[in-house]
Amino acid sequence: DEPSEWQKTELDQTQVEQRIKEYNSQINSNLFMSLNKDGSYTGFIKVQLKLVRPVSVPATKRVPTLQAGRPHTQGVKRRTSFYLPKGTVKHLHIFSHTRASEVIDALLRKFTVVDNPRKFALFERSEKDEQVYLRKLGDEEQPLRLRLLAGPSEKVLSFVLKENETGEVNWDAFTLPELHNFLRILQREEEEHVRRLRHRYARCRQKMQEAL
């Protein structure tokens, strides 16, 4: 949780313009930063999603109903949960004044995730001396400003979306359908684990019988 060196850095308008030129000269893509007339700037950040628990998305099921003697279908709002694929990455085009909390909201909208944004946190990731460091960003921090100050290197700085872990999981923050989904997922995992154990012991028993 120690503040990064670039987090403490303050730049005037001339220095911002110079940093943007240096940044754009170092990237090998068209994801440039642009300086606006009002002194703000825009650019892209890449966020890797490393979520352990499933997320909830809306699912509409068409249910037949009767109205005036004629059958028709009616949309019913439901939720379904699934695991985001490992290594999912998303590029976002944001402003220099865009806050970390707004980045989280934008990511959830991109994937139509309906979970409470407070369940997630944006982290900065850096590599130094063969060590990996993670720091949770505060809600008011500005990721694009950090990107500009750190430069384009992903080793120096990258962004990761993770669960907002504060120790024990706060299960009260989940809705009843979400908790039921988690229980079903745990049951399937348990059944699969038991099946593998039984298969392993059955093979051992078979080998022993063959040896006898």
Side-chain angles (χ1 to χ4, degrees), residues 204-212:
C204 289
R205 189 179 297 108
Q206 180 184 357
K207 293 294 184 182
M208 292 178 186
Q209 290 173 346
E210 290 175 355
L212 289 172

Side-chain angles (χ1 to χ4, degrees), residues 8-173:
K8 307 171 186 176
T9 306
E10 295 293 337
L11 301 177
D12 59 31
Q13 193 62 25
T14 302
Q15 290 173 319
V16 168
E17 186 174 356
Q18 181 61 34
R19 286 286 186 118
I20 290 176
K21 289 180 180 179
E22 293 175 359
Y23 182 93
N24 290 339
S25 67
Q26 296 174 34
I27 61 175
N28 299 318
S29 65
N30 59 349
L31 303 180
F32 299 109
M33 289 195 188
S34 301
L35 184 64
N36 302 319
K37 292 181 179 180
D38 62 359
S40 65
Y41 50 95
T42 59
F44 293 85
I45 61 168
K46 184 174 76 171
V47 183
Q48 185 176 11
L49 282 72
K50 288 189 174 182
L51 302 178
V52 178
R53 295 192 290 271
V55 295
S56 298
V57 297
T60 301
K61 183 178 180 181
R62 309 303 294 182
V63 179
T65 61
L66 289 175
Q67 183 177 8
R70 293 184 179 181
H72 70 283
T73 58
Q74 177 181 351
V76 177
K77 291 184 178 180
R78 297 177 180 271
R79 286 187 178 188
T80 184
S81 297
F82 73 100
Y83 287 96
L84 282 173
K86 290 183 178 179
T88 299
V89 172
K90 192 68 180 177
H91 286 87
L92 292 177
H93 187 253
I94 62 175
F95 287 90
S96 54
H97 53 74
T98 302
R99 298 170 297 163
S101 59
E102 294 172 322
V103 169
I104 295 173
D105 290 338
L107 286 169
L108 298 184
R109 286 197 302 271
K110 290 283 187 182
F111 291 95
T112 65
V113 174
V114 295
D115 293 302
N116 189 328
R118 303 301 300 177
K119 296 179 184 177
F120 307 93
L122 192 65
F123 289 78
E124 64 172 27
R125 179 186 184 277
S126 59
E127 298 180 26
K128 185 178 180 181
D129 300 328
E130 298 183 354
Q131 296 286 332
V132 175
Y133 298 89
L134 282 175
R135 184 182 72 87
K136 185 168 73 172
L137 298 184
D139 289 344
E140 301 299 319
E141 291 192 60
Q142 301 163 335
L144 190 63
R145 177 180 174 274
L146 296 176
R147 178 79 282 165
L148 176 63
L149 292 173
S153 172
E154 291 290 318
K155 286 191 174 182
V156 175
L157 174 71
S158 61
F159 295 106
V160 182
L161 183 73
K162 296 168 65 71
E163 281 87 0
N164 190 12
E165 299 290 1
T166 55
E168 292 295 324
V169 177
N170 181 18
W171 295 111
D172 292 333

